[in-house]
Amino acid sequence: MTESTAEPSPAVAAAHAIVSEPRGPRRLPGGEPLPPEDYRRLFGVLEAVDRAPDLPAFRESLLRALEEWFGYSTIAVLHGPTVAAALWEGHGIKSGYAQEFLDEYAERWIAHDPFMTPEAHRLLAERGCVTLRELHPERVPAQREYVERFLRPHGISDKGSMIIDGGAEGVVYVGAVIRGARTVPARDVAVLRALSRHLAPHAAAQLARDRRTADACRDLGLTVREREVAELAAQGLTNQQIARRLFVGVDTVKKHLTRALAKTRSASRTQLAARWPQFGHT
């Protein structure tokens, strides 16, 4: 006896069909966590980073999108194997910060920053986004001094931080400063928390790609910044374009590129571009 391969009759097919009445799109209920305009902000950021070809482009696209869709003017986008490593080692880009501010922070205040504490890292992992005020720096004398003697004189009233979990590949940390007498809006916090989840696959893929290139370049002795400059130069970017991408000065780019050319034994940018694939660029 063989199994029948005959087509089911129309009556049988109709019995399994799903029939529904068209009722139009679902209306958002009044208790929806985010209003429609905030979903547009969320998708605006996702669209901005969706096709980033590498980690530097992903960082810049994310930073620019936060400027555009949230109005933030002072932002840091950092990355590392853990939140602590991202914050302490500072691999990434920053915009809107004066160099004097960064120097004073590194020399005197970094250890008193509430976002440097294990409790802040735990809350970031749980919530995706945390504000400075949620950390209650007034309860710890050193943190209170950091706020009153460092942040407030620079006009900083609050700060929002978002963590994007890349799993085994590490994390991307985003910090945005609020100036004046304002706090981070609750709506911003809600959107950033949603973004932290939706950006996770993008961050994981970019961090993995960057790690593979770093592993292949480690034997060359390139620093993180030298590798980034070399990779962008190999892609054909000018010194000015690289400086804008990495938020550094043109002279800094020239310095790193000179060292990268020497370490890769490349006589020119053209030779570097031709040889870069053999150094593990993917």
Side-chain angles (χ1 to χ4, degrees), residues 133 152 154-159 178-185:
R133 298 202 175 198
R152 287 182 182 170
H154 286 282
I156 298 173
S157 57
D158 201 2
K159 180 179 178 181
I178 302 295
R179 299 183 184 277
R182 301 182 300 118
T183 62
V184 181

Side-chain angles (χ1 to χ4, degrees), residues 84-118:
L87 287 167
W88 281 98
E89 297 174 13
H91 297 320
I93 56 176
K94 301 180 180 73
S95 72
Y97 290 95
Q99 189 59 51
E100 296 78 8
F101 177 93
L102 295 175
D103 291 342
E104 183 181 353
Y105 175 76
E107 293 171 5
R108 183 174 180 183
W109 299 108
I110 187 170
H112 304 311
D113 187 340
F115 283 100
M116 292 295 184
T117 65

Side-chain angles (χ1 to χ4, degrees), residues 14-174:
H16 292 282
I18 298 176
V19 180
S20 62
E21 293 291 332
R23 299 179 180 178
R26 173 181 178 266
R27 297 184 64 183
L28 292 175
E32 193 77 11
L34 297 178
E37 55 267 32
D38 281 342
Y39 280 107
R40 184 64 189 95
R41 291 202 292 173
L42 188 153
F43 284 113
V45 177
L46 293 176
E47 289 169 351
V49 305
D50 185 47
R51 297 187 179 182
D54 51 43
L55 184 58
F58 173 82
R59 294 183 319 217
E60 182 187 14
S61 298
L62 178 56
L63 187 147
R64 295 303 187 191
L66 293 173
E67 289 178 338
E68 177 183 358
W69 290 100
F70 291 79
Y72 300 145
S73 61
T74 306
I75 306 171
V77 180
L78 311 173
H79 59 89
T82 64
V83 181
L87 287 167
W88 281 98
E89 297 174 13
H91 297 320
I93 56 176
K94 301 180 180 73
S95 72
Y97 290 95
Q99 189 59 51
E100 296 78 8
F101 177 93
L102 295 175
D103 291 342
E104 183 181 353
Y105 175 76
E107 293 171 5
R108 183 174 180 183
W109 299 108
I110 187 170
H112 304 311
D113 187 340
F115 283 100
M116 292 295 184
T117 65
E119 176 64 10
H121 302 168
R122 181 186 67 80
L123 291 175
L124 279 167
E126 290 179 357
R127 303 177 184 177
C129 176
V130 176
T131 69
L132 176 64
R133 298 202 175 198
E134 288 179 301
L135 298 179
H136 299 288
E138 69 279 1
R139 298 175 180 175
V140 180
Q143 294 179 11
R144 183 173 65 249
E145 184 182 18
Y146 163 78
V147 171
E148 294 178 351
R149 298 185 59 189
F150 180 60
L151 295 186
R152 287 182 182 170
H154 286 282
I156 298 173
S157 57
D158 201 2
K159 180 179 178 181
S161 291
M162 174 177 65
I163 196 71
I164 308 170
D165 187 358
E169 298 299 338
V171 300
V172 174
Y173 168 89
V174 179

